[in-house]
Amino acid sequence: MELGASGMFVPVQTVGMVLCCICGVAMAPNPANMCVRCLRSRVNITEGLPRHGAVVHCPECRSYLHPPRTWIRADLESKELLAFYLRRLKPLTRHVRLVHAEFVWTEPHSKRLRLKLRIQHEALHGAILEQSHLVELTVHDQLCPACSRAQANPDQWSAVVQLRQHVAHRRTFFFLEQLILRHGAAACALRISEADRGLDFFFGSRSHAVKFVEFISGVVPVRSCSDKQLVSHDSKSNIYNYKHTFSVEICPICREDFICLPPKVAQALGNLGPLVICTKISNSVALLDPFTLRSAFLDASQYWRAPFKALLSSRQLVEYIVLDIEVESSEVTVGGSRYSLAYAQVARLSDFGKNDNIFTVRTHLGHLLNPVDYALGYDLYGANSGDLEIDLPDAVLIKKSYEEKHRNRSGKARPWKLKSLNMDVDNTFKGRADEEKRNTEYEEFLRDLEENPELRFNISLYRNKDYQPSETSEMASTAGGDDVPSVPLDELLADLELSDGEEENDDAGSMME
Amino acid sequence: MATRIQFENSCEVGVFSKLTNAYCLVAIGGSENFYSAFEAELADVIPVVKTSIAGTRIIGRLCAGNKNGLLLPHTTTDQELQHLRNSLPDQVVVQRIEERLSALGNCIACNDHVALTHPDLDRETEELIADVLGVEVFRQTIAGNILVGSYCAFSNRGGLVHPHTSIEDLDELSTLLQVPLVAGTVNRGSEVIAAGMTVNDWTAFCGSDTTATELSVVESVFKLREAQPSSIVDEMRKSLIDSYV
């Protein structure tokens, strides 16, 4: 006795067997009243479905053509390829229902793909029949237009970004190189080459170049202009191929530059004393008046409206020794950094011990300097004021120097290292002569990085596996009065090495900045 | 013996003819082939009458009868009624009944002793059936279909029902009708049994689409193979012989 949902007695219904009307085998009744074999032999639901097909495949980039023009990246016998081919089949299979599709394995170099589809469709009298259907696809190899273009001329670029800075040193470019590496902005660059006062980046498409220019203008103040040159054109389809050139000029003011502002600019900034130091370059220029601790920011467009050059740059820094310091005001925070005004008695290191030339100068480094410290600054002792009707100070101190301590460590490896972009170096005679200069500049740049944590902010430093702290250097660091600034270990990234023979570096110990 | 015939290229012979143990009604076709087929089998045994009912040729589905009587729908014309009364043997009572469901052949399936009817048939009609045909009347459904006259065909010896009939239903019907029943098809898988064939106690006519298997089922359940020693007969006929004398 079976009770239905409402408690009613519902008799059990057992389905009986009938004979198939064709072959007479006993079977359960179905709408066609024929056994499955007879039904299948009489009705073929796969007629009208294609049994052969062709796909076009690009062997370089392993993509498949979706006519007329799209190329879809897919691996052999992957589900993307399956989806791609089923989409192409869709209009032909509209009248049947596709239940299952899979690839039958074929040898990859046979250039054949086998697809097994299971189709469901109504056979006569409403019986639904399920049948499997095999489609054989022939793969034709053909280079897609992008690969053929790349193969014809691998160095073919269609946009170039020419980055220039008209100064005598390359500090900005070292810094930019590290920034670019960190953010991967030059990932699409086909080639990078060094030029006289800058770098050239070659890209395959204009949009990549534009993206790169946007990135650069976000980190340094630049002005850029662009132009294009017609390479070829197809007048019938209105397709024009250009070579685009972006000329990007970086502002020539660098950190620690000593600047005399032109009167108009000084007035525009609220009568900022014409003698200023540049403290920071990001996408705007930060200026600080060392005698009044006033600061100002100039962004790129403001700067380029009335461009000015630096009077003295960091190559002309001279070493001073601090004899006495008198702090005048308390520590102030200006633009993120701490300064305090002080009067200092300094003597040039070249004068020290030889004669009695002592200068009393006002400096903004009161919080850092102590007697018997070394400082770097600009020597204005013998300078003429010329047109300016101001009193020139004898010297302007810029930063504290750790030269002595560095001399103890000279030649020793650092516990960290930097990566570099692979660029085509200029190997002419002139280039080789500059190499020594470049090495000293690079060494100074590394020292700069050590001393300034804010410079390190956007740069990735990697642990130097070859560094072994030797005993002598350890002793020297503990013996010295104040520590030589060095990069704390937790800021270093473990470098991931992916070469075949070596094991991967264990990243467990490294922490991101 | 079971014969395969066609009415003007249609295999639904049960629609155009009515066969009982006492008479046979045949529709008027364009050619005489249909009538000749019946004549050849039945000429000297029972009268074969050509007629129309309500001016139509679908006489098998409009009337219901057995050896005792014949029931006609209210749409039958007087001339047809008179013609039938004249042509049929005297012991057959020809009666025209007033019934809302006028396709009596679809609503009533009967042999000489029992009748199965549409569940919605009028009470008076039921009584008339019992009277005129001299049968016991049961209201039933077959495999959930209410048109019992279409989905089953039975004689005094056996019966064939809709293929989807469950085993319990089959048992129940079998006990009601007191004849062996089997679920099967005619005309190559068609479920409308009574439209595809017509049968009496010693002969059956099926549509020409009927396969050999179906024909063998028909012959075995209606016990039409008496001339042959039945103990040797297979259930499944392998050969394509459809009839023999």
Side-chain angles (χ1 to χ4, degrees):
Chain A
M1 270 229 218
E2 296 225 340
L3 289 179
S6 56
M8 249 178 16
F9 164 62
V10 175
V12 176
Q13 303 277 347
T14 327
V15 180
M17 304 280 260
V18 288
L19 299 183
C20 163
C21 61
I22 313 280
C23 61
V25 70
M27 59 166 209
N30 65 40
N33 289 315
M34 286 194 235
C35 65
V36 183
R37 282 215 188 109
C38 294
L39 199 54
R40 231 178 235 166
S41 67
R42 264 152 190 71
V43 181
N44 181 13
I45 54 176
T46 65
E47 54 187 329
L49 288 182
R51 248 170 240 136
H52 295 278
V55 277
V56 181
H57 170 239
C58 170
E60 281 292 319
C61 53
R62 279 189 253 127
S63 44
Y64 291 86
L65 176 64
H66 185 59
R69 232 172 291 171
T70 342
W71 289 81
I72 300 183
R73 171 97 182 62
D75 285 325
L76 197 61
E77 294 191 5
S78 64
K79 57 178 175 3
E80 290 95 32
L81 190 56
L82 194 61
F84 155 75
Y85 193 69
L86 289 178
R87 224 178 304 139
R88 268 178 68 185
L89 263 189
K90 202 150 174 216
L92 298 165
T93 60
R94 220 169 282 251
H95 56 100
V96 295
R97 210 176 106 210
L98 188 61
V99 179
H100 184 70
E102 64 184 1
F103 278 109
V104 176
W105 184 84
T106 48
E107 196 77 37
H109 59 79
S110 67
K111 301 278 175 227
R112 298 278 183 281
L113 289 172
R114 286 231 175 110
L115 199 57
K116 192 151 86 140
L117 307 168
R118 252 196 276 150
I119 309 274
Q120 265 185 8
H121 189 54
E122 190 190 306
L124 39 96
H125 295 150
I128 297 190
L129 201 60
E130 186 172 299
Q131 202 174 334
S132 78
H133 179 67
L134 199 65
V135 181
E136 183 161 322
L137 300 174
T138 315
V139 178
H140 299 280
D141 273 344
Q142 187 191 333
L143 274 185
C144 66
C147 291
S148 55
R149 223 177 296 138
Q151 260 217 358
N153 184 0
D155 287 334
Q156 180 74 339
W157 55 269
S158 66
V160 62
V161 177
Q162 295 176 316
L163 213 51
R164 299 284 180 270
Q165 190 186 30
H166 296 296
V167 281
H169 58 83
R170 302 187 74 88
R171 270 168 58 206
T172 320
F173 287 105
F174 291 140
F175 180 64
L176 271 182
E177 180 188 357
Q178 295 306 316
L179 263 183
I180 290 171
L181 275 173
R182 164 82 174 226
H183 290 99
C188 317
L190 301 172
R191 202 168 89 236
I192 305 172
S193 74
E194 254 186 70
D196 182 22
R197 297 254 167 151
L199 296 171
D200 282 346
F201 294 82
F202 295 92
F203 293 94
S205 80
R206 183 179 176 273
S207 49
H208 295 153
V210 166
K211 188 166 157 205
F212 185 73
V213 171
E214 298 282 326
F215 171 72
I216 294 290
S217 45
V219 289
V220 281
V222 299
R223 80 174 154 186
S224 70
C225 54
S226 74
D227 203 357
K228 59 187 187 218
Q229 176 190 27
L230 188 65
V231 172
S232 70
H233 78 287
D234 179 359
S235 55
K236 295 215 187 84
S237 355
N238 267 351
I239 297 178
Y240 296 87
N241 292 326
Y242 291 103
K243 274 195 179 181
H244 301 266
T245 311
F246 294 85
S247 175
V248 178
E249 189 188 334
I250 305 180
C251 145
I253 309 286
C254 301
R255 278 179 73 246
E256 298 163 3
D257 275 0
F258 184 64
I259 303 160
C260 180
L261 292 173
K264 283 229 177 68
V265 179
Q267 266 174 15
L269 291 177
N271 270 333
L272 197 61
L275 300 171
V276 289
I277 306 174
C278 172
T279 46
K280 188 166 169 194
I281 298 275
S282 62
N283 61 339
S284 58
V285 180
L287 302 168
L288 172 77
D289 181 347
F291 310 120
T292 56
L293 287 188
R294 277 177 59 193
S295 73
F297 287 89
L298 277 178
D299 68 358
S301 46
Q302 267 180 306
Y303 172 78
W304 288 108
R305 232 173 280 149
F308 49 84
K309 285 211 162 104
L311 264 187
L312 297 166
S313 81
S314 54
R315 261 141 116 254
Q316 283 123 344
L317 281 173
V318 167
E319 263 203 83
Y320 288 87
I321 183 164
V322 176
L323 300 169
D324 191 16
I325 188 137
E326 221 178 276
V327 176
E328 210 182 83
S329 77
S330 55
E331 262 186 43
V332 185
T333 307
V334 173
S337 323
R338 294 191 317 229
Y339 304 111
S340 68
L341 270 181
Y343 275 104
Q345 281 202 346
V346 297
R348 282 185 291 207
L349 214 59
S350 49
D351 284 345
F352 193 57
K354 291 188 201 128
N355 54 30
D356 274 332
N357 275 351
I358 294 181
F359 308 110
T360 309
V361 292
R362 241 175 144 193
T363 172
H364 61 289
L365 300 172
H367 63 301
L368 273 182
L369 296 174
N370 298 308
V372 197
D373 263 346
Y374 291 86
L376 289 167
Y378 293 112
D379 183 19
L380 299 172
Y381 179 53
N384 271 335
S385 64
D387 271 343
L388 300 169
E389 284 130 7
I390 46 171
D391 293 323
L392 283 180
D394 289 329
V396 178
L397 297 180
I398 299 292
K399 59 182 179 179
K400 187 165 168 184
S401 156
Y402 300 95
E403 270 307 320
E404 283 295 323
K405 321 271 178 6
H406 277 303
R407 252 175 244 141
N408 287 342
R409 291 183 53 211
S410 68
K412 300 276 194 322
R414 290 190 166 81
W416 51 272
K417 62 177 164 71
L418 296 171
K419 287 196 177 156
S420 65
L421 279 176
N422 56 342
M423 48 178 111
D424 303 338
V425 184
D426 184 15
N427 267 330
T428 63
F429 173 72
K430 183 162 161 258
R432 245 176 280 134
D434 285 336
E435 209 176 297
E436 215 193 279
K437 191 169 65 154
R438 184 176 317 146
N439 284 341
T440 28
E441 279 180 355
Y442 195 65
E443 178 66 32
E444 277 178 19
F445 170 65
L446 292 180
R447 220 173 282 161
D448 245 351
L449 277 186
E450 268 183 343
E451 290 169 15
N452 291 305
E454 57 182 47
L455 257 193
R456 289 201 290 271
F457 181 61
N458 257 332
I459 296 182
S460 313
L461 302 167
Y462 297 93
R463 211 182 284 163
N464 187 357
K465 293 212 292 198
D466 303 326
Y467 173 71
Q468 269 136 14
S470 63
E471 285 193 2
T472 48
S473 70
E474 268 189 31
M475 271 179 38
S477 60
T478 51
D482 56 345
D483 288 323
V484 172
S486 60
V487 180
L489 212 55
D490 55 3
E491 284 185 3
L492 302 183
L493 302 172
D495 196 3
L496 197 65
E497 292 197 18
L498 295 171
S499 52
D500 282 330
E502 302 172 25
E503 299 146 12
E504 269 191 20
N505 208 349
D506 180 16
D507 274 358
S510 72
M511 292 187 325
M512 294 295 283
E513 271 195 284
Chain B
M1 308 309 121
T3 324
R4 287 187 222 179
I5 54 176
Q6 265 190 332
F7 179 78
E8 288 186 356
N9 224 23
S10 160
C11 302
E12 310 290 334
V13 294
V15 174
F16 301 103
S17 62
K18 180 116 235 150
L19 180 63
T20 67
N21 289 328
Y23 54 88
C24 175
L25 301 177
V26 171
I28 302 170
S31 75
E32 291 291 316
N33 291 339
F34 194 58
Y35 176 71
S36 317
F38 279 92
E39 274 275 286
E41 275 291 316
L42 306 165
D44 33 1
V45 188
I46 51 174
V48 181
V49 182
K50 276 203 279 191
T51 182
S52 67
I53 296 181
T56 68
R57 299 190 293 179
I58 50 169
I59 59 173
R61 302 293 94 215
L62 290 180
C63 66
N66 60 10
K67 73 173 188 332
N68 301 321
L70 177 67
L71 293 171
L72 298 169
H74 62 92
T75 48
T76 319
T77 63
D78 294 333
Q79 282 135 315
E80 290 159 354
L81 187 57
Q82 198 54 45
H83 171 66
L84 279 169
R85 283 224 174 98
N86 291 342
S87 325
L88 292 180
D90 291 332
Q91 62 268 40
V92 178
V93 179
V94 180
Q95 176 84 9
R96 182 165 58 181
I97 58 178
E98 299 298 320
E99 162 62 55
R100 180 180 62 98
L101 303 169
S102 58
L104 299 175
N106 284 337
C107 300
I108 305 167
C110 62
N111 63 6
D112 293 335
H113 309 291
V114 191
L116 293 177
T117 60
H118 191 293
D120 297 338
L121 221 56
D122 292 345
R123 193 139 279 289
E124 298 89 55
T125 313
E126 198 185 317
E127 283 165 12
L128 260 173
I129 297 172
D131 237 355
V132 171
L133 301 182
V135 293
E136 216 182 323
V137 181
F138 297 105
R139 288 168 189 255
Q140 268 294 330
T141 64
I142 296 197
N145 291 312
I146 49 180
L147 293 178
V148 292
S150 308
Y151 289 105
C152 80
F154 60 96
S155 71
N156 294 323
R157 324 281 294 270
L160 188 64
V161 292
H162 189 288
H164 290 187
T165 315
S166 67
I167 297 187
E168 290 81 17
D169 275 357
L170 216 52
D171 289 339
E172 188 186 335
L173 287 169
S174 195
T175 47
L176 278 181
L177 303 177
Q178 294 294 310
V179 292
L181 292 177
V182 94
T185 64
V186 292
N187 280 342
R188 201 178 251 276
S190 165
E191 296 155 346
V192 195
I193 312 289
M197 64 176 286
T198 176
V199 64
N200 71 3
D201 282 350
W202 65 88
T203 184
F205 295 91
C206 302
S208 58
D209 271 353
T210 312
T211 61
T213 317
E214 290 167 335
L215 213 59
S216 76
V217 168
V218 161
E219 289 198 351
S220 74
V221 78
F222 290 108
K223 302 200 179 45
L224 303 173
R225 286 191 214 127
E226 254 123 57
Q228 233 177 16
S230 41
S231 54
I232 308 180
V233 168
D234 279 347
E235 278 306 293
M236 304 243 307
R237 276 187 8 152
K238 307 283 193 242
S239 65
L240 289 175
I241 303 172
D242 44 2
S243 75
Y244 53 90
V245 180

